[in-house]
Amino acid sequence: MPENESTTAQTGLENLLHETRSFPPSPEFAAQANAKPELYEEARADRLAFWARQANDLVTWRTPFTETLDWSQAPVARWFADGTLNAAYNAVDRHVEAGLGDRVAIHFEGEPGDTRTVTYAELQRDVARAANALAALGVETGDRVVIYLPMIVEAVVAMLACARIGAPHSVVFGGFSADALRSRIADAEAKVVITADGGYRRGAPSALKPAVDEALAPKEGAEPTTVEHVLVVRRTGQDTAWTESRDVWWHDALESADTTHTPVWVEAEHPLFILYTSGTTGKPKGILHTTGGYLTQAAYTHRNVFDLKAETDVYWCTADIGWVTGHSYVVYGPLLNGATQVIYEGTPDSPHQGRWWEIVEKYKVSILYTAPTAIRACMKWGEEIPAKFDLSSLRVLGSVGEPINPEAWMWYRRVIGGDRTPIVDTWWQTETGAIMISPLPGVTAAKPGSAQVPLPGIVADVVDDEAHAVPNGGGGYLVLSEPWPSMLRGIWGDLQRFTDTYWSRFPGIYFAGDGAKKDEDGDIWLLGRVDDVMNVSGHRLSTTEIESALVSHEIVAEAAVVGASDDLTGQAVVAFVILRGEHADRAADADGAAAVQTELRNHVAKEIGPIAKPKRILVVPELPKTRSGKIMRRLLRDVAENRTVGDATTLADSSVMELISAGLQKPS
Ligand code: WTA
């Protein structure tokens, strides 16, 4: 095991070995399912022909492609490269042209209870207007646009407007701080930022625009910003500072814009978006996705994994558009498939803990896609809460973002799914663009806690340190052995990092960074990250990024961060810090330690965002290091998880762990 191998993964593995329950699809569900067992056979017989068929069936091409895959410049793939298309046309216009303009695309539910229904025809007009507005602000094909918005209809419109003119969008999650926003804007060299005055969060307006103002303000040592304009959606009506020459109200810009717009037909490999995600270093990676292959796999997976019937289903994915799940399964997948979906702005417990179930009942949601953390939170609140609502419309449930423990899986199925709905546990990543490993409802007998099988068209395996496939029953690293249409095409501006991160561990195959196990049937069980990436409530956070935020505070000399198992959030951020000499006794008593903890947590929130705040910060006199100076996080994780500290013999100074443990046992 490598030094930083997750021990959570190992504990998880022991529990999972006892899981033997299996839920075969009902004959009724199987009979009506979009996916049939033959899909696997078709893909196995000729993988490229299979993907070419999906691309032709699910996507409308302006110019048809003649070559499916060009892998000659591996690891940068080119899929359907000589075809041309437009993502927004595929998501919206073609449905209107097919006579489906009156179909509801979005049922919007604001947190305060305001609602809005948007048909495909209305969406088309709004997207065209927004595209014209962006063009009027000087945005051209290829320019980058940063989107920093709450979960409101305009977020979807903004993304599609960018896609319409071939301007790659880079959505930054609204919970990220001004500093995090600044670095993402700078890395993408964005020309325009689209934001809002604010959004509603836990019953109150929460401002967004001030973070944009701060991110764009001149800063010592930073290059002047490339941003020329800021488009501002009015959502909360709160007071907003205004920079006359730069800021433009979204409603003003759209009002004066034409309601028709000719989409820019781009090549299949034209960049569709950049999405920043945490890696193992302090600097977030701008994951680059292109158009044709991404759309093909987003639509294919959405249709087959969720068994979408566009005419009758009401689909709801609870993810924020700031994450990849929001890109593929709120915007592109569902809209390409002509789905009717729910978008909800707020938190699950505002104004009460039954809000989600109230929404399911109100809109008769039939497909629900959410994260294990949310399910565990609902479990904690108690099953009497969902029991108050009529959830009988639900017919497929999905899970994503982190391993789902069998208990949460069973609760999800029984309490939310009425013991009748299939559950799809979908494994994928920002990098993979779309779902890669998942049961198919109507085909796979589901096992609680396992993502089970690569989808038809995907080749995945679990390998050992030498890249040999492990036998059934064995554990190792998850790899993807063949290129797939929605794979990332690189890291924005850093091809070398792309190769080093994903393709150098096992030459020629994609290293996902996840540990996994194959059970006796050959089904895959995901066990968590094997690198310095944490997964907190399904959000990816980098230990190094939080460590650099901590050491940027004047009182901190050194910091080490670990992800400790947490019953609710999967993992929780625990930080160990050494204070600088002159501040060392600030944490000497309980009050001092609490004050230091608060100050540092707020500092991390400012540097990265509230989601990265450590749950606990422990002030220690030393950190455990190997002779080569590498921090042994494994030992710190033992402390954070209240376990007996493991083998410490490779430490440069083996007494360090005793020092740390002794210090922590002091009442503090
Ligand atoms: C984890 C989210 C187990 C995994 C779509 C992966 C999962 C990381 C699952 C990607 C799942 C996602 N079971 N683990 N069903 N889905 N993960 O980029 O560690 O935010 O590498 O993409 O989440 O997180 P990302």
Side-chain angles (χ1 to χ4, degrees):
M1 286 267 168
E3 188 48 67
N4 54 11
E5 182 89 358
S6 159
T7 46
T8 346
Q10 294 162 35
T11 359
L13 193 136
E14 281 150 27
N15 296 339
L16 293 177
L17 286 174
H18 303 296
E19 183 54 61
T20 51
R21 287 169 288 202
S22 167
F23 295 84
S26 71
E28 300 77 47
F29 195 102
Q32 60 83 59
N34 291 343
K36 303 288 179 218
E38 297 78 58
L39 216 51
Y40 292 103
E41 284 157 38
E42 184 196 341
R44 218 171 287 131
D46 188 341
R47 201 171 52 87
L48 295 185
F50 170 83
W51 281 120
R53 180 174 79 78
Q54 299 302 335
N56 284 318
D57 285 358
L58 300 171
V59 174
T60 303
W61 298 82
R62 180 70 172 184
T63 328
F65 59 89
T66 60
E67 187 183 25
T68 302
L69 170 66
D70 172 4
W71 191 228
S72 64
Q73 296 158 51
V76 182
R78 291 168 58 78
W79 283 88
F80 319 120
D82 59 348
T84 66
L85 74 169
N86 180 277
Y89 173 83
N90 270 278
V92 185
D93 301 63
R94 63 171 178 159
H95 305 311
V96 180
E97 286 170 14
L100 302 173
D102 292 337
R103 180 181 291 171
V104 174
I106 299 170
H107 289 294
F108 170 73
E109 175 94 9
E111 202 193 69
D114 57 317
T115 60
R116 187 176 158 195
T117 304
V118 185
T119 64
Y120 274 93
E122 287 162 347
L123 191 59
Q124 183 184 36
R125 283 193 289 274
D126 272 6
V127 173
R129 277 204 190 102
N132 285 319
L134 285 173
L137 293 178
V139 177
E140 292 173 12
T141 306
D143 288 342
R144 272 82 57 208
V145 174
V146 162
I147 298 176
Y148 186 65
L149 282 171
M151 271 309 275
I152 53 179
V153 173
E154 287 81 356
V156 178
V157 173
M159 288 166 75
L160 294 173
C162 291
R164 215 174 160 89
I165 50 188
H169 52 72
S170 173
V171 181
V172 178
F173 174 57
F176 277 122
S177 70
D179 286 345
L181 179 62
R182 176 194 288 273
S183 64
R184 285 158 174 78
I185 291 172
D187 190 76
E189 297 176 283
K191 197 172 199 175
V192 163
V193 175
I194 307 178
T195 188
D197 49 0
Y200 291 95
R201 207 84 198 139
R202 300 193 189 284
S206 160
L208 270 180
K209 172 79 166 26
V212 177
D213 292 333
E214 195 186 327
L216 299 182
K219 187 178 169 186
E220 221 185 285
E223 296 274 318
T225 184
T226 48
V227 171
E228 294 171 11
H229 289 288
V230 179
L231 255 179
V232 189
V233 176
R234 184 141 69 203
R235 167 70 185 137
T236 56
Q238 61 203 122
D239 276 346
T240 301
W242 208 252
T243 304
E244 269 319 319
S245 54
R246 186 196 70 188
D247 299 349
V248 180
W249 282 112
W250 168 272
H251 56 264
D252 286 343
L254 261 69
E255 202 180 331
S256 53
D258 206 88
T259 54
T260 59
H261 176 271
T262 311
V264 174
W265 305 107
V266 297
E267 291 176 354
E269 286 301 334
H270 185 78
L272 178 61
F273 67 85
I274 305 166
L275 183 58
Y276 287 85
T277 187
S278 293
T280 52
T281 72
K283 191 173 179 284
K285 304 176 280 199
I287 303 298
L288 173 66
H289 282 287
T290 58
T291 311
Y294 171 80
L295 293 179
T296 299
Q297 198 173 327
Y300 157 75
T301 50
H302 182 258
R303 186 182 133 74
N304 289 292
V305 174
F306 300 112
D307 191 45
L308 179 88
K309 307 286 191 290
E311 307 74 35
T312 46
D313 274 316
V314 178
Y315 165 87
W316 182 21
C317 165
T318 64
D320 189 281
I321 48 136
W323 310 111
V324 75
T325 308
H327 284 60
S328 304
Y329 300 106
V330 175
V331 181
Y332 293 108
L335 294 177
L336 248 85
N337 289 334
T340 294
Q341 71 176 317
V342 171
I343 289 182
Y344 169 57
E345 178 187 28
T347 47
D349 50 354
S350 283
H352 58 82
Q353 293 175 337
R355 185 69 188 271
W356 274 15
W357 317 119
E358 188 177 68
I359 293 174
V360 168
E361 177 181 284
K362 175 172 173 186
Y363 296 102
K364 299 196 168 37
V365 172
S366 54
I367 305 171
L368 178 69
Y369 190 30
T370 191
T373 294
I375 300 164
R376 289 192 295 262
C378 293
M379 282 172 78
K380 202 177 80 181
W381 296 337
E383 59 185 83
E384 61 285 0
I385 293 175
K388 287 187 215 139
F389 300 92
D390 177 6
L391 306 181
S392 62
S393 53
L394 288 168
R395 61 178 204 93
V396 179
L397 301 176
S399 171
V400 62
E402 48 178 323
I404 177 165
N405 45 313
E407 297 69 36
W409 195 103
M410 291 300 297
W411 189 91
Y412 196 23
R413 180 177 157 103
R414 180 175 60 80
V415 178
I416 306 304
D419 254 335
R420 113 200 130 250
T421 57
I423 295 185
V424 286
D425 174 7
T426 63
W427 179 90
W428 59 295
Q429 311 177 295
T430 307
E431 291 86 342
T432 69
I435 299 169
M436 302 292 284
I437 304 179
S438 167
L440 282 177
V443 179
T444 318
K447 297 178 182 173
S450 172
Q452 295 185 284
V453 266
L455 290 181
I458 300 300
V459 187
D461 210 337
V462 180
V463 301
D464 63 16
D465 276 316
E466 274 76 51
H468 300 307
V470 303
N472 287 354
Y477 307 98
L478 181 72
V479 294
L480 302 166
S481 357
E482 294 290 345
W484 62 99
S486 64
M487 68 197 293
L488 75 167
R489 301 303 198 261
I491 293 176
W492 186 253
D494 200 346
L495 192 62
Q496 191 56 46
R497 191 176 174 196
F498 170 56
T499 309
D500 293 348
T501 311
Y502 306 102
W503 303 93
S504 61
R505 176 78 187 253
F506 304 114
I509 51 178
Y510 176 89
F511 171 60
D514 277 295
K517 162 185 187 300
K518 277 196 246 176
D519 67 15
E520 295 305 332
D521 303 324
D523 281 333
I524 297 175
W525 297 71
L526 276 310
L527 303 172
R529 302 287 308 190
V530 294
D531 55 12
D532 292 335
V533 171
M534 294 170 292
N535 192 323
V536 179
S537 300
H539 298 150
R540 262 165 84 165
L541 296 170
S542 138
T543 50
T544 353
E545 201 180 346
I546 300 177
E547 285 163 4
S548 27
L550 285 166
V551 294
S552 74
H553 192 287
E554 56 181 15
I555 68 169
V556 177
E558 266 192 89
V561 165
V562 298
S565 336
D566 185 282
D567 285 347
L568 194 61
T569 57
Q571 285 189 305
V573 180
V574 177
F576 294 81
V577 297
I578 305 179
L579 298 183
R580 283 181 191 277
E582 62 274 33
H583 300 281
D585 32 339
R586 279 191 51 185
D589 58 30
D591 288 350
V596 165
Q597 161 143 317
T598 309
E599 190 170 334
L600 294 181
R601 293 180 78 231
N602 291 340
H603 180 69
V604 173
K606 185 187 163 294
E607 291 286 308
I608 305 172
I611 48 165
K613 273 189 186 178
K615 185 172 177 191
R616 285 164 71 200
I617 297 182
L618 306 169
V619 176
V620 292
E622 288 292 342
L623 289 172
K625 288 187 187 152
T626 59
R627 279 175 206 97
S628 59
K630 196 171 164 352
I631 293 175
M632 289 184 75
R633 291 204 176 78
R634 171 170 62 81
L635 300 178
L636 292 175
R637 215 178 283 124
D638 287 342
V639 174
E641 293 175 351
N642 303 318
R643 253 196 315 274
T644 320
V645 173
D647 181 7
T649 47
T650 52
L651 283 182
D653 173 359
S654 58
S655 64
V656 165
M657 287 318 293
E658 285 152 38
L659 213 61
I660 292 177
S661 305
L664 296 177
Q665 275 149 19
K666 273 195 320 208
S668 67

